[in-house]
Amino acid sequence: MKRRDFLKSTAVFVAGASVSLSALELVDPKEVLASRPELRWGFLVDTHKCVGCGMCVKACKLENDIPYDANVTRTWVERYAMMKNGEVIKDSPKGARDGFTSKLVDQGEAGTRLLRDKDIAQAFFVPKLCNHCTLPACVQVCPVGATYKTADGVVLVDRKWCIGCGYCIMGCPYGVRFFHPVVHTADKCTFCYHRISKGGNTACAQACPFGARTIGNLRDPNDPVAKAVLNERVGILRAEYGTKPNVYYIGLNKEVH
């Protein structure tokens, strides 16, 4: 029996034990940052600047070897339409890889719907990606340690260890994880760690023509991302889960989850 098959067959037992134990153990951020206390990666999204062009999604797929036509992506953009009657409509065709070029909204089994300007009270775009939480649920539930957090706060997946059990995908409250259709392991945004750890930028931030995405060091008070988090009104997604995301939003509407 191969190692991966053996681990899959025992994952249920191991995962059950790991969840119950990890639920009793709170992670001290100071201990996590002990090896590199001067660096903590954070990401800032300015929804006022996002136009839903999809350039970020394209760049991410090409940079990180995510099949271009597959219906999975490490980052995506959602379009929100707040209707005058109080209804909230959301869509993200192909993760917004090709942008939003139509006023037709795909509502699944209900078919398509045409959004008329006169019926819309407000409309905006919201980019989404892995939140690289301070207390990541995905790390807690992984039975083999394939999902882990670096000293500078980035949550990664070791494909050599991943057994494809799917617990991290189910455990993530943000729905940012998926099975890679080629390598068949769990996948997600890595903040382009292979780039930023060498002083580069993330592919999505570099590709954004309007500066809606920025990565920076939350430990540096002079960093633009840190300044925004400290001085501006920023929001995070699903604060009620207590995972303490490190992706912050400017102009986040309360209807966005």
Side-chain angles (χ1 to χ4, degrees):
M1 179 182 291
K2 294 182 179 179
R3 172 183 176 276
R4 176 172 293 192
D5 294 334
F6 171 77
L7 289 173
K8 280 186 177 179
S9 67
T10 58
V12 174
F13 171 77
V14 178
S18 66
V19 172
S20 60
L21 291 175
S22 62
L24 301 175
E25 182 180 355
L26 295 178
V27 177
D28 184 353
K30 293 181 180 179
E31 293 182 5
V32 175
L33 292 169
S35 61
R36 297 190 70 183
E38 78 286 356
L39 178 60
R40 177 75 175 199
W41 292 109
F43 204 90
L44 182 68
V45 176
D46 190 336
T47 63
H48 299 310
K49 296 179 179 179
C50 181
V51 300
C53 66
M55 295 297 293
C56 54
V57 181
K58 290 187 181 71
C60 177
K61 278 182 170 273
L62 295 173
E63 176 69 27
N64 296 293
D65 295 324
I66 307 299
Y68 194 74
D69 292 322
N71 194 30
V72 291
T73 183
R74 289 185 174 189
T75 186
W76 70 97
V77 181
E78 296 174 350
R79 171 173 60 177
Y80 285 79
M82 322 296 288
M83 312 306 286
K84 291 180 180 179
N85 63 4
E87 185 181 8
V88 179
I89 299 175
K90 179 185 75 172
D91 72 331
S92 182
K94 296 182 180 180
R97 184 199 69 187
D98 302 320
F100 295 88
T101 58
S102 172
K103 293 182 180 180
L104 287 173
V105 174
D106 185 355
Q107 297 189 304
E109 295 181 357
T112 58
R113 173 177 174 179
L114 177 64
L115 298 183
R116 299 185 301 178
D117 292 343
K118 66 178 184 178
D119 297 328
I120 301 175
Q122 183 185 11
F124 50 89
F125 302 101
V126 180
K128 289 189 176 180
L129 63 159
C130 175
N131 285 272
H132 295 275
C133 305
T134 300
L135 300 172
C138 58
V139 171
Q140 295 182 16
V141 301
C142 180
V144 295
T147 292
Y148 65 99
K149 187 166 64 171
T150 65
D152 44 11
V154 178
V155 178
L156 301 175
V157 179
D158 188 334
R159 289 179 174 175
K160 297 188 299 294
W161 282 93
C162 179
I163 60 174
C165 66
Y167 286 117
C168 61
I169 296 174
M170 293 183 286
C172 175
Y174 303 99
V176 303
R177 286 173 166 264
F178 58 92
F179 280 119
H180 194 290
V182 177
V183 299
H184 306 296
T185 59
D187 206 291
K188 68 174 197 66
C189 160
T190 64
F191 275 172
C192 283
Y193 198 65
H194 59 290
R195 281 171 158 243
I196 62 174
S197 59
K198 298 177 181 178
N201 197 2
T202 67
C204 64
Q206 182 173 307
C208 180
F210 301 102
R213 295 166 174 253
T214 311
I215 193 166
N217 181 9
L218 296 174
R219 294 297 193 223
D220 181 359
N222 295 315
D223 187 286
V225 174
K227 284 184 177 180
V229 172
L230 290 172
N231 301 312
E232 298 188 37
R233 298 186 64 180
V234 297
I236 57 175
L237 296 174
R238 300 192 177 187
E240 66 273 17
Y241 285 100
T243 59
K244 299 183 180 179
N246 287 296
V247 174
Y248 300 88
Y249 288 83
I250 295 175
L252 188 64
N253 190 290
K254 66 178 182 179
E255 303 293 341
V256 179
H257 300 288

